[in-house]
């Protein structure tokens, strides 16, 4: 059940504290209430969180004339908005319950299917979900699944705002560049009798196959389960403008090309129907032809980009075998104009209301009949073709890739394990520890390797294997690059991992090693002329044709410039700033330093030049390429190069313009104390869609043809003006070693520096770059500055400078002087300063309170307090050993093992200094925390309790490092607010602080009894 807002706390307990609880609420809200009375604005409380709306899944129509998005509250019903980008026309359509946070442990997150604008920019197609009230009512009435409210398909005409609806629809698909058809899947009439299909939304319009109807010969039940065919379902092809529908029964899989030329689908039904097979429907004519037919399963349907070829796998060739394996088929698609009057198997039927029967050719065309590309037994002894997924054509369409995998051994019957030991053996030479093996067991059982089929020659070759488990393929499939760390898996235990890089000729299979034991990865250039990687503090490029490696960024040619991250502050090898992209023909590669972008000739014939002309370093601005077209592989020298810019001093951000190969300096187009996010550029127009925000400005949508001429087209939260909303500024100070630092100070609305305020300090590592970020009101296990300033607090977020080997003392040296510098300004109440942190921030919080007494309350959540015991543990969420990734080379920054630096592990652990603590502590640590072992929270609490220190430990059963369950998020937020109110604002302690919650009363306490 959702945690109650602050106003309902008086009903939480049966104990005689109603009067005191009322006083608690009054005092808790006293400070913001005064400001509210003066301004006429409301305080942000927990009941506000649910109402706050988000703009989700924004997109532009292809012609750039419409922006479409879903406006959804945190909890509740949303609406679809279609807004003209040049005028005031706007259509709004209710979408139902789109705001669905996770309400119980183990539940999956929900995201509504994105609305899509048809390729001709005439319609918006989307799902309308049942309202929250309707779902709640059905749940309360315990309605059967078939009687639960269902989704509705909605089609919005952008010409006039008219909405056409089709009831009881599970999902839909439209071609990316189409506009004539929508394909949808109706709900079954009686879902209680149907098995739920799996994988229904994979690939480009692909629909996966689920278990369902049985078919074929029945195997011996004492040896194997009955062979099953994929269950087919009804698929409807609807003409959007006319509403005419073609209904295709028994569809198990389908795909449609981007240009809306072909619908290719697989059918399965009872053997008596004889319909099993793959069919191609030419959408321009309605003609249907049979590509392949025969009893069995047909999966993995895929089209090439030009929609001239199709591929799939089927076990029909071996259907009568005891254990049928799959064969890869390939077919050329040839237009069938004029072939209209056939009667293909299940080609379609009218819907009885404006529908029509589909017609097509039953016999098919010789040019279109599918043929065997790779037979089931052609992939090698002990191997099989993967039956689900992994099939695709390379961009050029001349090569088809698919997956192969070892044939798995027969599973062990569960009853054979009765009376047997169940044991894990941890071996000292295992490359991966047992917990990681367990987490990856499913992936390991289904491990597959990429293979390719050459369409022209009909040859097949396996590319990946145990030694080279992943490859990157060129657009024409002729070159592959493998980056493999397999030779160094054991060495990774000692922090000495690495990768070898190979170039593979896919025709011959020859593999050539071009780099040995690099710490990064290798990247194939778009035209497959080069492989680029980072090694020994420099970028290197391998010329594949010349078999020659060149160093692209030798230090002598770039005086005063570092391409590695000089801000890196952990005891591991610094990473590079990165690669921005390539110009056409792989003529130039663009490489980042901290500030600027360099244009480098991979042949070495032309000297590298600073594309941004040193403006970034000169003005302390970081430039990065703005990717307006993610599908485009190259950066065009003939077009403006748009750059995202960030001023590291002022935190202003904006867009600049430059050009590859040009000598002129970059030009500022827009620069402001804002944060920007480029959503997209219309595919067929110059229209831009971006969001703009700062701490007080909601990230609404802005549009225009250029970045300097944008106008706002959304107003998602006009109610924000009704609430107390603070402000934020940069503050600066020196740490104890004299290092200049900066941080953020959030102040309440109407802040008066002549008065004194309580303050909460919250931090992680470096947060000051977030100066112009909007922070929506929300609550969980962190400090939300928008909420806390509304409640009358100052919120201070300091940056930290780390000394390797001493993360705990580093945090003290940074934060304590920062707090003292603010107290010295006179507006901070020195006796009412709290501190809080989550995870790494929690660790630092727990350490800091052992070294100072300036904090009146502390909330260190999910904290490590004992590095000596945490060092040898496992990150249960990933199965990774904590020693290297956390302590020796990672965030904890110790710089060596427990045996090399035992004193550092002790000196940086709060546990060994808890006897010094005078600060009351509230800590949250959940028992399914996969990042920080929850026994660290137990060590913390037990020690504090043993020492007689005031401490409270909150554990949300079954929840994670950061609570995922919404009621848990709101509960810890409420307790943190109550804790700080009692310690910093003088409010009475809530009942749980006074008396605790006995285990046998915890359920009653949650519902307020």
């Amino acid at each position: 059940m959702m945690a109650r807002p602050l106003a309902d706390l008086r009903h939480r307990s049966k104990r005689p504290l109603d009067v005191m609880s009322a006083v608690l609420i009054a005092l808790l809200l006293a400070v913001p209430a005064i400001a509210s009375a003066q301004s006429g604005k409301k305080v942000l409380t927990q009941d506000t969180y649910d109402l706050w709306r988000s703009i989700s899944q924004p997109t532009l129509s292809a012609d750039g004339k419409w922006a479409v998005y879903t406006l959804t509250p945190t909890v509740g019903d949303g609406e679809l908005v279609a807004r003209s980008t040049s005028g005031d026309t706007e259509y709004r359509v209710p979408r139902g319950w789109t705001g669905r946070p996770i309400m119980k442990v183990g539940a999956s997150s929900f995201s509504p299917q994105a609305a899509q604008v048809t390729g001709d920019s005439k319609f918006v197609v989307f799902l309308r979900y049942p309202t929250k009230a309707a779902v709640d009512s059905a749940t309360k009435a315990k309605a059967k699944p078939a009687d639960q409210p269902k989704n509705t398909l909605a089609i919005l005409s952008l010409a006039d705002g008219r909405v056409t609806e089709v009831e009881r629809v599970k999902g839909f698909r439209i071609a990316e560049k189409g506009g004539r058809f929508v394909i949808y899947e109706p709900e079954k009439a009686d879902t209680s009798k149907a098995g739920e299909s799996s994988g229904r939304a994979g690939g480009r319009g692909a629909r996966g196959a689920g278990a369902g109807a049985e078919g074929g010969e029945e195997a011996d039940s004492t040896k194997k389960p009955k062979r099953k065919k994929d269950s087919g379902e009804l698929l409807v092809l609807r003409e959007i403008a006319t509403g005419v529908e073609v209904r295709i029964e028994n569809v198990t899989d389908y795909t449609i090309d981007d240009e809306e030329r072909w619908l290719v689908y697989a059918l399965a039904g009872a053997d008596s129907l004889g319909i099993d097979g793959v069919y191609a429907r030419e959408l321009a004519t309605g003609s249907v032809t049979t590509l392949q037919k025969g009893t069995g399963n047909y999966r993995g349907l895929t089209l090439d980009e030009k929609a001239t070829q199709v591929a799939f796998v089927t076990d029909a060739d071996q259907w009568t075998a005891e254990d049928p394996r799959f064969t890869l088929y390939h077919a050329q698609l040839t237009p069938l104009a004029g072939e209209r009057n056939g009667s293909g198997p299940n080609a379609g039927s009218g819907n009885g209301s404006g529908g029509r029967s589909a017609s097509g050719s039953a016999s098919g065309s010789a040019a279109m009949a599918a043929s065997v590309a790779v037979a089931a037994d052609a992939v090698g002894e002990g191997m099989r073709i993967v039956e689900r997924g992994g099939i695709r054509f390379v961009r050029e369409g001349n090569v088809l890739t698919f997956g192969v995998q070892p044939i798995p051994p027969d599973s062990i019957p569960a009853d054979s394990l009765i009376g047997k030991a169940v044991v894990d053996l941890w071996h000292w030479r295992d490359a991966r520890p047992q917990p990681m093996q367990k987490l990856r067991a499913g992936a390991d059982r289904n491990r597959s390797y990429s293979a390719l089929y050459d369409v022209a020659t009909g040859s097949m070759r396996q590319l990946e294997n145990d030694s080279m488990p992943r490859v990157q393929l060129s657009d024409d499939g002729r070159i592959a690059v493998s980056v493999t760390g397999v030779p160094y898996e054991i060495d990774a235990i000692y922090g000495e991992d690495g990768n070898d890089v190979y170039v593979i000729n896919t025709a011959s299979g020859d593999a050539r090693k071009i780099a040995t034991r690099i710490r990064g990865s290798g990247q194939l250039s778009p035209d497959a002329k080069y492989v680029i990687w980072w090694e020994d503090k420099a970028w290197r490029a391998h010329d594949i044709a010349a078999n020659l490696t060149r160093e692209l960024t030798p230090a002598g040619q770039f005086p005063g410039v570092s391409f590695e991250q000089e801000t890196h502050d952990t005891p591991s090898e610094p990473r590079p700033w990165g690669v921005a992209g390539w110009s056409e023909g792989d003529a130039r590669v663009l490489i980042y330093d901290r500030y600027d972008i360099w244009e480098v000739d991979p042949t070495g014939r032309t000297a590298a030049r600073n594309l941004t002309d040193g403006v970034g370093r000169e003005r302390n601005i970081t430039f990065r390429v703005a990717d307006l077209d993610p599908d485009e592989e190259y950066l065009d020298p003939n077009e403006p190069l748009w750059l995202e810019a960030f001023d590291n001093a002022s935190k202003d951000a904006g867009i600049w313009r430059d050009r590859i190969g040009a000598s002129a300096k970059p030009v500022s187009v827009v620069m402001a104390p804002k944060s920007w996010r480029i959503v997209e550029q219309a595919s067929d127009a110059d229209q831009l869609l971006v969001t703009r925000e700062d701490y007080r400005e909601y990230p609404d949508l802005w549009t225009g043809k250029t970045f300097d001429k944008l106008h706002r087209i959304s107003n998602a939260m006009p109610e924000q003006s009704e609430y107390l909303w603070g402000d934020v500024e940069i503050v600066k100070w020196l740490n104890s070693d004299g290092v200049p630092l900066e941080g953020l100070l959030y102040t309440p609305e109407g802040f008066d520096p002549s008065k004194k305020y309580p303050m909460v300090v919250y931090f992680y590592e470096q947060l000051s770059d977030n100066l112009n970020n909007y922070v929506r009101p929300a609550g969980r296990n962190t400090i939300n500055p928008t909420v806390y300033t509304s409640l009358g607090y100052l919120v201070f977020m300091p940056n930290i400078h780390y000394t390797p080997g001493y993360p705990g003392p580093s945090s003290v040296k940074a934060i304590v002087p920062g707090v003292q510098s603010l107290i010295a300004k006179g507006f901070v109440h020195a006796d009412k300063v709290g501190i809080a942190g989550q995870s790494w921030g929690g660790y630092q919080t727990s350490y800091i309170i052992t070294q100072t007494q300036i904090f009146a309350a502390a909330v260190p959540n999910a904290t490590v307090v004992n590095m000596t015991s945490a060092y040898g543990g496992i990150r249960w969420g990933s199965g990774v050993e904590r020693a290297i990734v956390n302590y020796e080379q990672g965030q904890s920054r110790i710089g060596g093992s427990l045996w090399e630096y035992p004193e550092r592990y002790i000196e940086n652990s709060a546990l060994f200094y808890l006897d010094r603590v005078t600060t009351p502590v509230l800590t949250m640590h959940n028992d399914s925390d996969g990042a920080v072992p929850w026994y660290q929270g137990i060590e913390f609490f037990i020690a504090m309790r043993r020492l007689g220190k005031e401490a409270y430990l909150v554990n949300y059963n079954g929840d994670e490092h950061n609570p995922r369950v919404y009621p848990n998020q709101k509960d810890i937020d409420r307790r943190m607010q109550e804790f700080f109110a009692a310690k910093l604002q003088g409010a009475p302690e809530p009942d749980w602080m006074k008396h605790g919650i006995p285990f046998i009363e915890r359920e009653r306490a949650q519902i307020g009894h």
Side-chain angles (χ1 to χ4, degrees):
M1 182 174 179
M2 187 178 299
R4 291 172 178 261
L6 291 173
D8 290 339
L9 289 178
R10 64 174 64 92
H11 302 299
R12 286 184 61 255
S13 176
K14 275 190 170 181
R15 292 189 172 92
L17 293 173
D18 289 351
V19 175
M20 290 301 294
S21 296
V23 174
L24 163 64
I25 301 305
L27 291 176
L28 175 60
L29 301 179
V31 174
I34 295 173
S36 180
Q38 294 172 345
S39 65
K41 295 185 177 182
K42 296 179 285 187
V43 175
L44 291 165
T45 54
Q46 284 200 327
D47 53 339
T48 314
Y49 307 163
D50 295 357
L51 308 177
W52 223 260
R53 291 182 288 275
S54 296
I55 294 173
S56 63
Q57 302 165 333
T59 190
L60 283 172
S61 59
D63 63 7
K65 295 180 179 180
W66 293 90
V68 175
Y69 59 93
T70 295
L71 195 60
T72 187
T74 302
V75 179
D77 298 339
E79 59 183 340
L80 184 284
V81 182
R83 168 66 187 253
S84 168
T85 57
S86 59
D88 296 330
T89 303
E90 183 176 89
Y91 304 125
R92 290 182 174 238
V93 184
R95 283 205 72 183
W97 189 16
T98 56
R100 304 187 196 184
I102 296 172
M103 300 302 289
K104 63 181 181 180
V105 172
S108 332
S109 58
F110 170 82
S111 180
Q113 181 175 349
Q116 292 181 259
V117 187
T118 54
D120 58 9
S121 302
K122 293 181 178 179
F123 298 94
V124 182
V125 184
F126 59 100
L127 288 181
R128 293 186 64 183
Y129 298 91
T131 64
K132 184 177 185 301
V135 174
D136 288 346
S137 176
T139 301
K140 185 176 181 180
K142 298 180 179 180
K144 296 178 180 179
D147 299 328
Q148 293 278 352
K150 304 298 181 184
N151 305 334
T152 297
L153 178 69
I155 302 172
L156 168 67
S157 169
L158 293 173
D160 55 15
R162 183 172 59 89
V163 178
T164 303
E165 296 188 339
V166 180
E167 295 183 350
R168 299 180 66 86
V169 172
K170 288 190 290 187
F172 71 90
R173 176 78 180 183
I174 62 174
E176 184 176 331
K177 298 179 182 179
R180 181 180 174 190
F181 297 103
V182 58
I183 305 168
Y184 69 87
E185 300 169 78
E187 289 279 359
K188 291 183 179 179
D190 184 4
T191 58
S192 64
K193 297 180 181 179
E196 187 174 317
S197 62
S198 62
R200 300 295 297 176
R204 185 165 34 179
R207 290 298 184 264
E214 298 175 2
E217 297 181 8
E218 186 174 304
D220 184 350
S221 62
T222 63
K223 297 179 179 180
K224 285 184 174 292
K226 295 177 181 179
R227 187 177 302 116
K228 293 183 179 181
K229 283 196 294 186
D230 299 334
S231 59
E233 297 187 15
L234 174 63
L235 194 71
V236 180
L237 177 67
R238 180 185 179 95
E239 196 163 356
I240 296 174
T242 66
V244 172
E245 293 186 340
V246 172
R247 303 172 76 82
I248 309 173
E249 301 280 357
N250 303 303
V251 176
T252 61
D253 192 8
Y254 78 89
T255 187
I256 185 172
D257 68 284
D258 289 346
E259 300 284 352
E260 206 175 52
R261 288 169 286 192
W262 293 97
L263 171 65
V264 180
Y265 54 91
L267 302 181
D271 290 347
S272 59
L273 295 177
I275 63 172
D276 293 7
V278 176
Y279 304 88
R281 180 184 187 89
E282 189 182 17
L283 294 173
T285 65
S287 300
V288 178
T289 192
T290 303
L291 299 182
Q292 178 69 12
K293 192 173 180 182
T295 303
N297 294 299
Y298 296 82
R299 299 172 181 162
L301 274 62
T302 187
L303 289 157
D304 68 341
E305 287 199 1
K306 298 176 182 178
T308 60
Q309 304 173 84
V310 65
F312 56 88
V313 295
T314 178
D315 58 0
D317 296 353
Q318 296 193 3
W319 186 248
T320 58
E322 183 177 345
D323 186 13
R325 289 190 286 161
F326 281 74
T327 295
L328 177 67
Y329 273 79
H330 172 267
Q332 295 286 346
L333 295 179
T334 303
L336 300 174
E339 293 187 33
R340 290 228 175 176
N341 299 316
S343 55
N346 198 15
S349 58
N351 64 5
S353 56
R356 63 179 173 82
S357 297
S359 58
S361 168
S363 59
S365 164
M368 295 200 39
S371 59
V372 173
V374 181
D377 57 0
V379 294
E381 186 70 25
M383 301 292 286
R384 68 179 183 183
I385 294 174
V386 175
E387 60 193 69
R388 296 187 189 276
I391 306 173
R392 73 174 186 88
F393 288 92
V394 297
R395 185 184 288 257
E396 298 298 326
N398 57 311
V399 167
L400 176 66
T401 65
F402 61 100
V404 297
Q405 63 185 178
I407 298 174
D410 291 338
S411 59
I412 299 174
D415 57 6
S416 68
L417 297 176
I418 296 175
K420 306 291 186 182
V422 178
V423 60
D424 298 327
L425 175 63
W426 297 48
H427 193 282
W428 72 290
R429 297 297 290 173
D430 282 343
R432 298 185 299 182
Q434 283 286 323
M436 185 185 296
Q437 292 183 44
K438 180 179 180 180
L439 288 170
R440 300 185 183 180
D444 288 344
R445 290 190 189 100
N446 296 299
R447 179 184 301 169
S448 63
Y449 302 107
S450 178
L452 61 79
Y453 169 73
D454 188 303
V455 175
T457 66
S459 59
M460 170 265 174
R461 183 175 301 280
Q462 181 178 330
L463 295 179
E464 296 172 344
N465 52 48
D466 287 338
S467 299
M468 297 182 184
R470 291 290 175 267
V471 299
Q472 177 187 357
L473 207 59
S474 63
D475 285 351
D476 63 3
R478 303 307 185 196
I479 298 293
V481 171
S482 171
V483 180
T484 175
V486 171
Y488 313 109
E489 285 184 333
I490 295 296
D491 295 337
I493 298 173
Y494 314 105
E496 299 173 1
D497 55 325
N499 289 309
D500 293 342
V501 183
Y502 290 83
V503 171
I504 304 168
N505 181 315
T506 61
S508 66
D510 293 338
R512 183 173 72 237
K513 184 191 286 191
I514 60 173
T516 302
R517 204 166 192 159
I518 64 171
R519 299 306 292 266
S521 185
Q523 179 187 30
L524 185 64
S525 62
D527 246 16
K529 294 180 180 179
Y530 304 96
V531 181
I532 187 171
W533 69 90
W534 176 259
E535 182 182 7
D536 294 335
K537 302 181 182 298
W539 285 102
R540 302 172 190 275
H542 180 80
D543 185 323
I544 295 174
N547 190 20
L548 177 66
T549 298
R550 300 181 182 91
E551 187 174 337
L552 299 182
T553 56
Q557 295 182 18
F558 301 87
V561 174
S562 173
F563 291 97
E564 71 175 4
Q565 296 179 11
E566 58 263 50
T567 56
H568 182 83
D569 64 356
T570 64
S572 58
E573 185 177 315
R575 306 295 303 139
W577 288 106
V579 172
W582 294 77
S583 64
E584 191 167 1
D586 294 349
R588 296 290 185 271
V589 58
L590 271 56
I591 298 176
Y592 294 132
D593 70 21
R594 182 179 179 181
Y595 304 100
D596 291 301
I597 306 172
W598 293 81
E599 188 179 328
V600 180
D601 178 2
T603 69
R605 289 190 288 267
T606 303
R609 62 175 295 271
N610 192 320
L611 185 145
T612 46
D613 297 280
V615 172
R617 188 168 295 273
E618 175 187 334
R619 297 179 55 173
N620 197 16
I621 294 175
T622 296
F623 290 115
R624 295 296 181 257
V625 172
D627 189 2
L628 299 185
D629 186 359
D631 293 330
E632 179 55 57
E633 294 184 287
Y634 305 105
L635 300 171
D636 190 347
N638 299 314
E639 295 291 333
L641 183 67
W642 297 104
L643 305 176
E644 297 176 345
F646 181 77
D647 189 312
N648 295 282
S650 68
K651 316 303 179 186
D652 289 2
I655 303 294
W656 291 49
R657 184 180 62 250
D658 208 334
R659 191 182 294 272
I660 296 174
S663 58
K665 291 186 176 181
V667 176
S668 175
V669 177
V670 59
M671 201 74 179
K674 306 288 181 182
S675 289
W676 306 80
R677 181 174 72 89
I678 300 173
V679 177
E680 68 178 357
Q681 183 177 38
S683 58
D684 298 334
D686 292 332
Q687 197 74 24
L688 298 162
L689 188 64
V690 306
T691 64
R692 192 187 84 174
E693 67 183 84
D694 61 29
Y695 178 62
R696 297 182 63 87
E697 180 181 344
Y698 184 94
D700 275 306
L701 294 172
W702 294 68
T703 191
K705 295 189 180 300
T706 60
F707 287 104
D708 57 341
K709 294 181 180 179
L710 300 171
H711 63 280
R712 193 179 70 169
I713 56 170
S714 72
N715 188 15
M717 276 306 300
E719 300 93 330
Q720 179 178 315
S721 62
E722 302 172 10
Y723 293 91
L724 291 169
W725 205 278
D727 214 333
V728 61
E729 62 182 278
I730 290 280
V731 293
K732 299 179 183 290
W733 71 99
L734 301 178
N735 80 350
S736 299
D737 295 328
V739 177
L741 293 177
E742 63 182 18
L744 302 178
L745 179 65
Y746 295 86
T747 56
E749 185 162 321
F751 171 66
D752 183 348
S754 67
K755 298 180 180 179
K756 292 187 183 295
Y757 294 80
M759 183 170 75
V760 177
V761 182
Y762 183 80
F763 56 97
Y764 195 76
E765 290 186 351
Q766 313 290 321
L767 297 177
S768 63
D769 285 354
N770 297 332
L771 174 69
N772 292 314
N773 287 5
Y774 182 83
V775 183
R776 61 177 291 158
R780 57 183 189 91
N781 48 311
T782 58
I783 298 298
N784 183 297
T786 306
V787 172
Y788 273 74
T789 54
S790 182
L791 293 174
Y793 296 93
L794 299 167
V795 177
F796 177 39
M797 294 187 177
N799 286 356
I800 301 169
H801 172 78
Y802 293 98
T803 300
Y806 299 95
S810 295
S811 62
V812 176
K813 290 179 179 181
I815 290 171
V816 173
V819 172
Q820 291 171 333
S821 72
L822 294 178
I823 291 174
K825 294 182 179 181
F827 51 73
V828 177
H829 199 305
D831 296 331
K832 298 185 181 302
V833 179
I835 185 171
Q838 162 69 20
S839 190
W840 178 241
Y843 155 72
Q844 294 170 103
T845 299
S846 66
Y847 183 87
I848 289 168
I849 61 174
T850 69
Q851 308 296 311
T852 180
Q853 298 181 359
I854 68 171
F855 296 106
V859 182
N861 288 328
T863 173
V864 167
V865 294
N866 183 359
M867 288 189 176
T868 65
S869 61
Y871 172 82
I874 297 286
R875 292 181 67 96
W876 297 107
S878 61
V880 173
E881 295 161 326
R882 297 175 57 82
I884 298 292
V885 298
N886 282 96
Y887 296 101
E888 297 182 24
Q889 297 181 3
Q891 192 172 49
S892 294
R893 299 171 169 85
I894 297 300
S897 72
L898 181 61
W899 302 278
E900 293 175 279
Y901 301 115
E903 69 287 346
R904 290 187 184 178
Y905 284 85
I906 294 174
E907 291 171 8
N908 286 282
S909 296
L911 182 71
F912 301 100
Y913 307 102
L914 290 181
D915 58 325
R916 304 177 182 178
V917 172
T918 60
T919 306
V921 169
L922 166 65
T923 181
M924 179 211 73
H925 214 133
N926 301 327
D927 51 22
S928 288
D929 191 325
V932 177
W934 94 291
Y935 58 73
Q936 287 290 313
I938 296 172
E939 287 192 49
F940 189 14
F941 177 77
I942 294 299
M944 291 286 284
R945 186 170 181 267
R946 168 67 176 79
L947 292 165
K949 310 291 184 179
E950 183 179 354
Y952 312 89
L953 170 63
V954 177
N955 166 33
Y956 295 101
N957 300 167
D959 219 330
E960 301 178 10
H961 184 61
N962 290 290
R964 298 181 70 242
V965 177
Y966 192 53
N968 293 346
Q969 293 175 352
K970 294 186 75 171
D971 188 78
I972 188 59
D973 173 62
R974 173 176 60 84
R975 294 185 195 279
M976 289 169 61
Q977 288 189 28
E978 292 173 347
F979 180 70
F980 280 130
K983 301 300 182 182
L984 307 183
Q985 290 186 329
E989 293 182 345
D991 187 54
W992 61 267
M993 287 180 66
K994 284 189 174 184
H995 303 101
I997 302 176
F999 184 84
I1000 60 175
E1001 294 184 14
R1002 62 180 189 155
E1003 287 79 11
R1004 299 174 67 83
Q1006 286 300 311
I1007 60 176
H1009 288 287

